[in-house]
Amino acid sequence: MVHGARGGPAAVGAVDIRRLGGLWRVTRPWHPGLRPFLRSYVGYWEAVTSPYEARLVPTGYATLVISLAEPFSQVRRLGLPDGDSGRIGSLVVGLEDRPAICVHPGGQEAIRVEFTPLGAYRLFGMPMSELTNLAVEVRYVLGPDAGTLVERLADTRDWAARFDLLDAALLARLGHGPEPSPEVGHAWRLLSGSAGGIPIARIAAEVGWSQGYLIRRFTQQIGLTPKASARVLRFRHAVALLGRGATSLTEISTACGFYDQAHLNREFRAIAGTTPGQMMAARRVEGALALSASANSSKTTSATGR
């Protein structure tokens, strides 16, 4: 059903607002100029305000969160010293190969955009390796004007107008962003198309680079090394098969290139901080797995990860 902001009069544009559990989610068709660089683009706010704690699981994508109300209390990367962001509002998250915990006091309203790695490289205009496993304030990536954009978005109550503003800002940055190397683009397509199953040596031979040079350029523009990217992609493939009701973990292990079920379990613990069974039993807040009773189960939906 199409509404304006907060369920008010109908807005201009094909904006769709639906309640999903305890969240109101807002979407519309992506701008054609942004479509090649996106994985998801959604606005949301809590139908019932409640604090929550949730686990962020690696996706193989970079994320921009525009906070329009209460900021996060913290985003804490597991397994890294100094991995705690502290109180943080609008933020950018680079590619990840390990989980994080996000804590929010409740009252969240935001726009969340996921970018392909090379789309993020163009948009952010910086080496993606500088954002690996980090959650940083948006102004540190998009510059001081980002604060003005966030204020304008928060002050604009109509969701169609909000999306128009953000679309224009993203398109302007993409128009001036660095062009990814064609070789890195081809390497990423080979790796992602095989769900992490193609050997790095074969990718290097395919693009005509040495393995060392491929690793350096790939890591700079994608954010993870080819090997780390392959691990995340295999993990995501396993998560997808779990979500489709694949019959056994042994079959999933074989299909995804794990040595055995024990290897599958180790990778889930290393990458997501949980087991396959625990992940499937978890519930989801927007973009994350709910961890505890502090996450209001009425506002979550069945999840297969982020």
Side-chain angles (χ1 to χ4, degrees):
M1 190 172 187
V2 178
H3 295 287
R6 302 281 187 157
V12 176
V15 174
D16 185 73
I17 300 183
R18 298 172 187 264
R19 182 163 179 169
L20 187 63
L23 289 178
W24 286 98
R25 300 180 83 250
V26 193
T27 59
R28 76 171 180 186
W30 301 343
H31 190 288
L34 295 174
R35 193 171 296 131
F37 310 104
L38 295 180
R39 191 260 187 177
S40 71
Y41 188 155
V42 61
Y44 59 94
W45 75 89
E46 293 177 287
V48 179
T49 298
S50 60
Y52 68 85
E53 180 177 321
R55 184 185 307 274
L56 303 175
V57 176
T59 63
Y61 299 95
T63 306
L64 168 67
V65 178
I66 303 292
S67 181
L68 305 172
E70 291 297 319
F72 292 98
S73 301
Q74 66 172 191
V75 178
R76 184 175 73 257
R77 186 70 52 189
L78 301 183
L80 288 180
D82 304 320
D84 188 343
S85 70
R87 185 177 172 87
I88 187 169
S90 297
L91 55 89
V92 168
V93 181
L95 264 67
E96 310 149 295
D97 63 357
R98 63 191 67 203
I101 303 298
C102 64
V103 182
H104 197 279
Q108 187 177 30
E109 182 173 355
I111 302 173
R112 185 173 182 275
V113 189
E114 280 188 335
F115 297 93
T116 65
L118 292 176
Y121 175 66
R122 283 192 59 173
L123 176 73
F124 300 153
M126 62 185 296
M128 289 298 293
S129 55
E130 295 183 12
L131 295 172
T132 304
N133 287 319
L134 293 178
V136 300
E137 285 278 2
V138 68
R139 67 180 183 275
Y140 295 134
V141 177
L142 301 185
D145 290 344
T148 302
L149 173 63
V150 171
E151 289 178 3
R152 291 183 65 195
L153 289 167
D155 290 342
T156 302
R157 305 311 301 165
D158 182 271
W159 277 99
R162 278 178 169 171
F163 288 147
D164 286 343
L165 281 171
L166 186 54
D167 284 356
L170 296 178
L171 287 165
R173 287 194 63 90
L174 286 168
H176 296 92
E179 283 288 344
S181 165
E183 291 85 355
V184 172
H186 187 44
W188 174 254
R189 287 190 295 272
L190 289 171
L191 198 59
S192 59
S194 67
I198 186 169
I200 307 306
R202 181 177 160 191
I203 295 175
E206 179 78 18
V207 303
W209 284 351
S210 70
Q211 287 193 57
Y213 190 66
L214 170 66
I215 290 169
R216 288 194 298 275
R217 294 294 300 279
F218 187 99
T219 305
Q220 178 199 39
Q221 296 183 24
I222 298 294
L224 294 173
T225 66
K227 182 178 180 180
S229 296
R231 288 183 69 204
V232 171
L233 290 166
R234 283 195 298 269
F235 162 75
R236 296 305 306 179
H237 187 201
V239 170
L241 291 178
L242 281 167
R244 294 176 198 147
T247 56
S248 77
L249 292 181
T250 299
E251 290 181 356
I252 292 173
S253 300
T254 301
C256 297
F258 297 106
Y259 299 126
D260 51 28
Q261 186 176 332
H263 184 205
L264 171 71
N265 286 330
R266 286 196 302 273
E267 287 294 271
F268 264 70
R269 287 193 179 279
I271 294 172
T274 187
T275 66
Q278 289 168 342
M279 175 170 281
M280 289 304 98
R283 308 294 290 175
R284 185 180 68 179
V285 292
E286 188 65 41
L289 297 173
L291 286 180
S292 65
S294 63
N296 183 353
S297 62
S298 70
K299 70 174 183 182
T300 59
T301 57
S302 297
T304 57
R306 261 188 168 182

